[in-house]
Amino acid sequence: MGMVFKDETFRDDYSFSNSPEAIKRFPFPFDKDSYMYAVNMEPHTPVRAGSVYEKSFDVDEHYVSEMRDRALVLADDPLRCQSLPHMTLAGWDLLELIMVAKAKDYPDLFTLHQDGDRWHWINRPLGIDDTFTFGDETTLPYGPMEYITRQAQGDFCVLDQREGNLWMDAGMVTTQADWSLDFDIGMNFFEWHAPVPLAHELGIFQRALKFLTAVQIGAPARRLNWTMTVNPLLDTSPENYHKWGIQKTTLTSENIGTKQHLRVELQSFWRLPRSNALVFPIRCYLISLQDLVSQPKWGRRLHRVLRDLPVELATYKGFIDNRPAILEYLSQFDDGAETSLGTWPEDD
Amino acid sequence: MSNEKLKLDVVVSDIVEVTDEIKRFEFQRADGHAFPPFSGGAHVVVEMDDDGTRRLNPYSLMSDPSDTATYAISVRRDDGGRGGSLYLHTKLKQGDRVRLSMPNNLFSLDRTASKHLMIAGGIGITPFLSQIKQLKAQKGRLGTAGKADFELHYFTREPAKTAYLADLSDDAAVSLTTYFDNEDPDRDLTGVMARQPLGTHLYVCGPKPMIDIVINQARSVGWPIENIHHEEFVAPQPGQPFTVELAKSGLTVDVGERQSLLEAIEAAGVDAPYMCRGGACGQCETKIIACDGTIEHNDHWLTDEQRASKQAIMPCMSRFSGSKLVLER
């Protein structure tokens, strides 16, 4: 497919940007002009050629640079990747899931040869060519989960399923919206969601857990989540809040269009067959407001959604102080015209 | 919700007589593809067309979870049951095609355990067979993790009726204790339970009275409830016919004597959610709109409180007697 990988940064000079094609395929999360929590799950099946929903694990123009940023985060803080001892089997499950899917979906980028337990993996964009024994950790440079998630965009939470609950017992988390794997490791579903406002009262998490514990092999599900991020930072972690939190005060009316980003997470949920664990990939997509309003439907709608969002949610998502400036900027692109239902920009 | 697209079309590749009451059925995929691997303790739902009656019964996979060429189940003939096992034993032939659900696991090993204490009664041995194969493979291959030790206690009537007895006793990796006096279901396991190391998890699969005894014994010697796991595989029991109204579908459905409520709903052409069909997973839970009569709750899902409030029923297992039952389906 001749994908061109951009050489860009998500720190310091922030050279990240989206090409016109990447803007068009951005997973805009609002299908109407207002937002409230919902267990908005749908089957993770291919939708629209070229969209981020087409492949099991989307690879885009940011792949190589995102993997480089992940390596930098891990070098500074190895605890961003943790796997409790009972989760190794789930790590192998995840390695198999990602390798098989990528080799099938992107044959020109990835190749997997399986000869019994002897596997040969080629990752052309990252220049990796490794032969190893499936199930034998000593034949890989890292544990199986770390090995494969250093080669896959997005964070990965590997959840053990026991006692009718899900447990955050392994993960690779370097592109997170202000939560910490090191803090949450070993917690169950209700414990790690405890800080979320309003949703508990709505019974959201009880229903979500019932749904997730019943996710079947071969039937993954997905949903979107979102927040706002100043500068195209992948690593908005509590561990580094002292570095990025202050940047939220740097918005001006001149720079807001390029500095303020909508951050969207494509979350999917997969049953891992050998371990009966569940993997929860959280793939982060960033878009500047300036690029976002190039799609008129999105500009109008984001203005209305952020304007009408409950204070609790704007506070939890961390942009309550900047909301007036964001609304002032976006209001220029909201002429009050009606918007069509659904998220696709071209359907307007 | 019943995931029709995810069904596995399979061919019966072999039928093996294990004891005079138990047969093993081996399956391979009709399209020649590999099966997904699965986790020890998982079951599949086998879809049968028994002379026009569609039966969907869950059976534990007892083959090696890493064997993606063949799935196998072992089934005990239940002469007093509704016919699912009789159909498999007397009508299914090598080369026949059937459909399986994807594997689901409601009886998974707890991998945080320091040791697994397995207690099987009769055909309840089946989930342990796949778990033991998986544990043995992990001990050899997966490094330090998942290396927990295990021991198996196996209750049957007599050696000749004990499925896989020779395989298990010949296997040096399996610490096996057998008990052949089924006349004494009160056999005291508290000594075995009391000598386990801290962090051991207990798993029991077999007839309900045995499960209750084992759980009570474990509780009596101080085992935490989180460390006790059980699976009771029972087909829905026959009962008196009754009638149900499905409010959303606008249908009135008769449930026959040898039919479950879920089967009757499906036979009426309504696509209702399900997964285990054994009253354990909670997927088929259905709201009751009106109930003038008595629900026979045969599931393990609803709490006593939920049952008392008459707000929900599990159609895969439960029945009704009375004058009026209306469901939100």
Side-chain angles (χ1 to χ4, degrees), chain A residues 74-292:
Chain A
L74 288 169
D76 274 355
D77 184 359
L79 293 177
R80 300 300 189 87
C81 178
Q82 299 190 42
S83 177
L84 298 183
H86 62 282
M87 298 303 284
T88 306
L89 183 62
W92 286 108
D93 268 331
L94 180 62
L95 175 143
E96 177 181 37
L97 177 69
I98 294 176
M99 284 189 180
V100 169
K102 285 196 167 181
K104 175 174 158 282
D105 287 340
Y106 302 97
D108 54 339
L109 304 180
F110 307 96
T111 305
L112 177 65
H113 298 289
Q114 292 162 283
D115 178 14
D117 288 345
R118 203 69 189 149
W119 290 25
H120 180 199
W121 168 246
I122 304 167
N123 178 335
R124 290 181 195 84
L126 296 182
I128 292 168
D129 186 323
D130 283 333
T131 301
F132 60 95
T133 305
F134 186 85
D136 184 351
E137 288 165 82
T138 62
T139 60
L140 284 175
Y142 307 101
M145 180 194 72
E146 179 168 0
Y147 178 79
I148 197 58
T149 57
R150 280 175 176 269
Q151 303 177 47
Q153 287 166 278
D155 286 342
F156 290 83
C157 304
V158 188
L159 314 177
D160 196 24
Q161 182 161 328
R162 55 179 199 273
E163 296 170 31
N165 211 323
L166 295 166
W167 303 80
M168 183 79 73
D169 285 351
M172 167 69 88
V173 180
T174 68
T175 68
Q176 68 269 51
D178 205 5
W179 70 279
S180 163
L181 175 70
D182 192 39
F183 185 75
D184 286 1
I185 191 93
M187 288 189 186
N188 71 35
F189 192 75
F190 298 111
E191 291 169 337
W192 85 69
H193 280 119
V196 182
L198 304 180
H200 293 274
E201 293 83 341
L202 296 170
I204 294 274
F205 292 120
Q206 283 290 353
R207 270 180 287 149
L209 180 65
K210 184 177 170 187
F211 177 90
L212 292 173
T213 52
V215 165
Q216 288 190 271
I217 297 172
R222 68 172 170 242
R223 67 184 289 264
L224 297 175
N225 198 6
W226 66 278
T227 189
M228 304 297 288
T229 300
V230 175
N231 288 327
L233 276 155
L234 286 175
D235 176 23
T236 49
S237 60
E239 286 90 339
N240 279 332
Y241 188 80
H242 59 290
K243 295 180 191 163
W244 60 269
I246 190 79
Q247 296 177 24
K248 292 200 275 185
T249 64
T250 61
L251 287 185
T252 65
S253 53
E254 286 73 41
N255 66 22
I256 190 166
T258 52
K259 260 187 180 296
Q260 179 66 59
H261 289 69
L262 172 63
R263 180 190 197 96
V264 173
E265 293 175 350
L266 172 54
Q267 309 179 340
S268 55
F269 306 88
W270 307 73
R271 177 67 53 200
L272 295 175
R274 292 177 175 81
S275 58
N276 201 41
L278 197 77
V279 66
F280 172 27
I282 308 168
R283 171 67 184 278
C284 168
Y285 294 87
L286 293 162
I287 190 169
S288 68
L289 292 187
Q290 177 180 284
D291 285 347
L292 183 133

Side-chain angles (χ1 to χ4, degrees), chain B residues 16 61 111 144 151 177 181 185 199 224 233-234 239 269 274 301 311 316:
Chain B
V16 178
L61 290 167
R111 289 184 169 75
T144 51
E151 65 181 66
T177 311
D181 46 350
F233 255 126
V234 284
Y274 71 83
W301 176 259
Q311 287 181 349
C316 71

